[in-house]
Amino acid sequence: MSSFINNIIYNFFISFGVILGASLMAGLGAIINGHPPLKTMFTIAGSIKIWAIAVALGGTFSSFEIIEKGIFKGEIKSIIRQAVHVVIAVVGANVGYGFIRLIQKCGESIFG
């Protein structure tokens, strides 16, 4: 596989994993603190989506540098590649959010 495809796969799973991991750990913290874990997990998942995207992209500055290079040096291919990376990271974060939302809905139907 090409490195571009490999990086896209990494971006998806990194942003997905950030949402999933942070939400699950927040749920554990909520249990310890005596708060509702499902509500806490859902709240955290929604509030950290942008951070999951930034983590998947390896920080925001490199993305802006690539976009700047594409705009000012006419490297359209690099802009398209970076846009694909951003879109895949957003998709990964949203799939993670949807997964946490599914857990919440299943928990509500079982417990509530």
Side-chain angles (χ1 to χ4, degrees):
M1 254 188 227
S2 72
S3 92
F4 178 69
I5 299 296
N6 289 338
N7 287 336
I8 286 174
I9 293 168
Y10 284 134
N11 282 349
F12 176 85
F13 282 105
I14 289 169
S15 62
F16 178 82
V18 167
I19 297 291
L20 190 63
S23 298
L24 292 175
M25 291 299 109
L28 183 62
I31 291 170
I32 292 169
N33 286 324
H35 296 127
L38 295 174
K39 182 178 184 232
T40 303
M41 290 170 62
F42 185 66
T43 302
I44 292 297
S47 67
I48 64 166
K49 282 198 295 187
I50 191 71
W51 295 108
I53 295 164
V55 167
L57 295 175
T60 57
F61 295 114
S62 63
S63 299
F64 289 127
E65 287 174 1
I66 291 170
I67 292 170
E68 177 187 17
K69 186 192 317 183
I71 291 172
F72 294 119
K73 294 185 180 177
E75 295 180 16
I76 301 301
K77 193 174 185 180
S78 65
I79 292 176
I80 292 170
R81 283 180 177 234
Q82 194 60 33
V84 169
H85 284 290
V86 170
V87 167
I88 293 299
V90 169
V91 168
N94 282 321
V95 169
Y97 179 76
F99 189 74
I100 295 300
R101 189 170 176 187
L102 179 66
I103 290 172
Q104 182 192 30
K105 287 186 185 227
C106 289
E108 288 173 353
S109 67
I110 292 171
F111 299 115

